[in-house]
Amino acid sequence: MHGIQLIADLHDCHCPPRLLLDAPGLESLCVEACTRHGLTVVGRLFHPFRDANDQAAGVTGTVVLAESHLAIHTWPEIAAVTLDVYVCNFSGDNTARAHSLFREVIAAFAPGRTERIEVKRGQLGARERVLDDSAPPETP
Amino acid sequence: MHGIQLIADLHDCHCPPRLLLDAPGLESLCVEACTRHGLTVVGRLFHPFRDANDQAAGVTGTVVLAESHLAIHTWPEIAAVTLDVYVCNFSGDNTARAHSLFREVIAAFAPGRTERIEVKRGQLGARERVLDDSAPPETP
């Protein structure tokens, strides 16, 4: 049950805007990244939203892992993404894998500003810590 | 994108032990609770694990919501559960719904000890807060 949860809110994403609307593309990105970083995918569910004018809107997706889960939500109208990577360390210490996966998925969106928090899970008395503060926007 | 994420680690769960092994039962519990608290379920994925002796082990599940997601993981061998409820407030303030859903799902497991954290999402400069400290085990 002991594990680590990495939480990020990504603002001012400079990636191609289409990426935030493309449910199959986001699914491939997330599933392939999980696999490449040594985590075991046991299921995935990506849901594309439509706006009031029946145009493609954001995407919500989860990848269920043997080691816990990845969850992602996109807000294309404000070029924003929220991301969670949670891995337990039941079968071994997956902390480094979680961090490398988290970094790679964040980088795909090229955010100008990022807020990240790390929460230790399953450890009584453990506390979360802020990984970094908001950074000023990067030059696109 | 603004929203709230409620995170709980539940220890010493006094619910019937079978609940932590029962993927369809957990799915019904979570989906029905989301619906009852006014959230919109757009998908669900619950995966039962088997141990090395091919016996039922824990369950990992996610409910994808129009308002974001619920994620749950059970560790029956230590009577523990981890739970995340994340709702965005795009279409209205869902904070009260998130808290009531969170309380109801936690109560179903009758945990002896609970750690809860609240994280504000999508708000630059926002910080998380601990909802409570570990409590001593309740009398079963």
Side-chain angles (χ1 to χ4, degrees), chain A residues 28-40:
Chain A
S28 296
L29 187 158
C30 293
V31 167
E32 289 169 13
C34 288
T35 303
R36 192 162 47 249
H37 290 283
L39 300 170
T40 306

Side-chain angles (χ1 to χ4, degrees), chain A residues 1 5 7-11 42-45 47 49 60 62 64-66 68-69 71 73 75 77-78 80-84 86 88 90 113 115 117 119 121-125 127-128 130 133-134, chain B residues 1 5 7-11 42-45 47 49 60 62 64-66 68-69 71 73 75 77-78 80-84 86 88 90 113 115 117 119 121-125 127-128 130 133-134:
Chain A
M1 180 188 186
Q5 185 158 355
I7 295 174
D9 293 348
L10 316 182
H11 304 258
V42 298
R44 78 284 295 274
L45 181 57
H47 180 84
F49 292 95
T60 280
T62 61
V64 175
L65 303 170
S68 292
H69 71 268
H73 306 281
W75 279 265
E77 64 278 18
I78 53 169
V81 174
T82 57
L83 174 68
D84 285 64
Y86 173 20
C88 66
F90 186 76
R113 300 167 71 102
E115 282 202 316
I117 296 171
V119 179
R121 299 296 301 261
Q123 299 171 50
L124 286 170
R127 288 288 172 267
E128 69 291 355
V130 175
D133 286 317
S134 310
Chain B
M1 180 187 185
Q5 185 159 354
I7 295 174
D9 294 348
L10 317 182
H11 303 258
V42 298
R44 79 283 295 274
L45 182 57
H47 180 83
F49 291 95
T60 281
T62 61
V64 176
L65 303 170
S68 290
H69 71 268
H73 306 281
W75 279 264
E77 64 279 16
I78 54 170
V81 174
T82 58
L83 174 68
D84 284 65
Y86 172 22
C88 66
F90 186 75
R113 298 167 72 102
E115 282 203 316
I117 296 170
V119 179
R121 300 295 301 261
Q123 298 171 50
L124 285 170
R127 287 288 170 267
E128 69 290 354
V130 175
D133 285 317
S134 310

Side-chain angles (χ1 to χ4, degrees), chain B residues 2 48 58 60 63 65 67 109 121-122:
Chain B
H2 289 197
T60 281
V63 182
L65 303 170
E67 299 84 3
F109 299 103
R121 300 295 301 261

Side-chain angles (χ1 to χ4, degrees), chain B residues 5-127:
Chain B
Q5 185 159 354
L6 303 172
I7 295 174
D9 294 348
L10 317 182
H11 303 258
D12 306 329
C13 293
H14 299 308
C15 61
R18 203 174 58 82
L19 179 59
L20 304 192
L21 299 166
D22 177 11
L26 284 167
E27 180 175 332
S28 295
L29 186 159
C30 293
V31 168
E32 289 169 13
C34 289
T35 303
R36 191 160 48 248
H37 290 283
L39 300 169
T40 305
V41 175
V42 298
R44 79 283 295 274
L45 182 57
F46 280 71
H47 180 83
F49 291 95
R50 311 289 294 182
D51 67 16
N53 298 317
D54 201 31
Q55 298 297 304
V59 175
T60 281
T62 61
V63 182
V64 176
L65 303 170
E67 299 84 3
S68 290
H69 71 268
L70 174 154
I72 192 165
H73 306 281
T74 70
W75 279 264
E77 64 279 16
I78 54 170
V81 174
T82 58
L83 174 68
D84 284 65
V85 171
Y86 172 22
V87 296
C88 66
N89 293 325
F90 186 75
S91 59
D93 188 349
N94 291 305
T95 303
R97 290 171 169 166
H99 276 286
S100 57
L101 167 63
F102 190 61
R103 277 194 303 269
E104 179 176 316
V105 176
I106 289 173
F109 299 103
R113 298 167 72 102
T114 304
E115 282 203 316
R116 297 183 300 151
I117 296 170
E118 174 183 316
V119 179
K120 288 193 165 51
R121 300 295 301 261
Q123 298 171 50
L124 285 170
R127 287 288 170 267

Side-chain angles (χ1 to χ4, degrees), chain A residues 4-5 16 20-22 29 31 37 39 43 46 51 56 73 75-76 79 91-92 99 101-102 114 120 132 134:
Chain A
I4 190 172
Q5 185 158 355
L20 305 192
L21 300 166
D22 177 10
L29 187 158
V31 167
H37 290 283
L39 300 170
F46 280 71
D51 67 15
H73 306 281
W75 279 265
S91 59
H99 277 286
L101 167 64
F102 189 61
T114 304
K120 288 193 165 53
D132 57 8
S134 310

